[in-house]
Amino acid sequence: MEGPRCPVVELRQYTLHPGQRDVLIDLFDREFVESQEAVGATVLGQFRDLDDPDRFVWLRGFEDMPRRAKALESFYGGPVWQAHRDEANATMTDSDDVLLLRPASARGGFPEPAGARPAPGEPATSPPSLVLATIWYGHGPFDATFAEFFQQRVRPVLAGTGGEPLAYLRTEHATNTFPALPVRTNEEVFVWFARFTDEGRIDDHLNRLEQSERWREELLPALSERWARPPQRLRLAPTERSLLR
């Protein structure tokens, strides 16, 4: 069986100065997509957080940790970042909220994109959609046994309530191979992503999930025993150049 796409994934959440999100997105989508992919990173998706106008969220993938280090050294030491870093950094108050993840199973990685990324300034050809990212924080590791539990028992309920997971990932415990960019340590997370046509479909999924007898009586108690704190949900609107849309 082929391995998952992008075995190493960063989930990056940036807190921005008020009114600066579109400034960063315009710069990012114009300058920081192809320049990162040219050195070995994969820009999986870029998003506006629907619930926080000052948060920009994006996903970046790599083939493995050594190639992550090489790609980041090349990009952040290269001419594009050097030319635009001051403008980018001026939009941010915090860029250190980063989870280092890996697909939780061979079937847990992100799918190949359905179409090509539009060129800068061109409209997306695919219809708009929203992405829901759900982050579960655990008391301990979400191991292979939990990944199988998610695949066999949780995923069918999520799919049956309209939230079919696109990808599901867990904490990557490898040492950060590019310490100039911090990642959150001492965290045990399981993150799953689903795509919806609009906010109403997200609300409908969450309502149906809450009303599901199997979810309430069988799965939620089992999951809650593992959770260190309530799940975090990110409702995300892809940018025009996001491949995950």
Side-chain angles (χ1 to χ4, degrees):
M1 178 185 294
E2 271 189 39
R5 177 174 175 238
C6 295
V8 175
V9 174
E10 297 172 353
L11 172 57
R12 310 187 65 87
Q13 300 183 56
Y14 292 174
T15 302
L16 309 178
H17 292 289
Q20 292 298 296
R21 184 164 66 184
D22 284 346
V23 174
L24 178 60
I25 287 173
D26 288 346
L27 175 64
F28 190 104
D29 278 3
R30 185 179 70 248
E31 302 290 349
F32 297 154
V33 176
E34 283 79 6
S35 55
Q36 292 190 77
E37 296 195 331
V39 296
T42 299
V43 179
L44 291 162
Q46 312 95 272
F47 311 94
R48 294 172 174 89
D49 186 324
L50 291 178
D51 300 306
D52 186 344
D54 301 322
R55 180 154 51 193
F56 172 64
V57 179
W58 64 293
L59 292 157
R60 176 166 61 186
F62 305 91
E63 288 303 309
D64 53 38
M65 293 298 288
R67 278 181 277 192
R68 173 180 179 268
K70 183 177 180 181
L72 296 181
E73 288 166 3
S74 296
F75 175 71
Y76 290 105
V80 175
W81 178 249
Q82 296 300 315
H84 300 286
R85 65 180 182 179
D86 290 344
E87 184 181 358
N89 287 334
T91 67
M92 307 175 196
T93 64
D94 177 58
S95 60
D96 293 345
D97 187 347
V98 180
L99 291 171
L100 192 60
L101 307 169
R102 59 183 169 122
S105 75
R107 294 172 287 182
F110 286 99
E112 293 292 335
R117 179 184 281 117
E122 291 186 357
T125 56
S126 58
S129 64
L130 300 177
V131 171
L132 178 66
T134 302
I135 305 173
W136 293 340
Y137 296 90
H139 292 292
F142 291 98
D143 55 13
T145 300
F146 180 84
E148 185 68 15
F149 170 78
F150 179 86
Q151 175 66 27
Q152 297 298 324
R153 297 177 61 187
V154 179
R155 184 172 189 158
V157 176
L158 298 176
T161 56
E164 173 68 46
L166 284 172
Y168 51 100
L169 306 99
R170 55 184 165 129
T171 299
E172 169 58 73
H173 293 105
T175 300
N176 182 5
T177 51
F178 192 74
L181 291 184
V183 300
R184 287 162 59 183
T185 56
N186 301 317
E187 295 272 20
E188 295 292 347
V189 301
F190 191 95
V191 188
W192 60 275
F193 297 82
R195 182 165 46 212
F196 300 85
T197 56
D198 53 46
E199 291 184 62
R201 293 299 178 92
I202 294 178
D203 292 341
D204 180 66
H205 157 65
L206 295 176
N207 289 334
R208 292 173 62 191
L209 189 62
E210 187 176 327
Q211 294 167 12
S212 165
E213 183 176 340
R214 186 177 179 193
W215 176 258
R216 292 196 321 268
E217 298 184 5
E218 176 185 340
L219 298 177
L220 188 57
L223 290 168
S224 297
E225 289 180 0
R226 300 188 62 103
W227 290 342
R229 60 181 186 269
Q232 178 186 11
R233 292 191 177 103
L234 302 175
R235 301 188 310 150
L236 305 173
T239 73
E240 286 292 312
R241 301 202 71 213
S242 176
L243 286 179
L244 184 55
R245 54 181 296 112

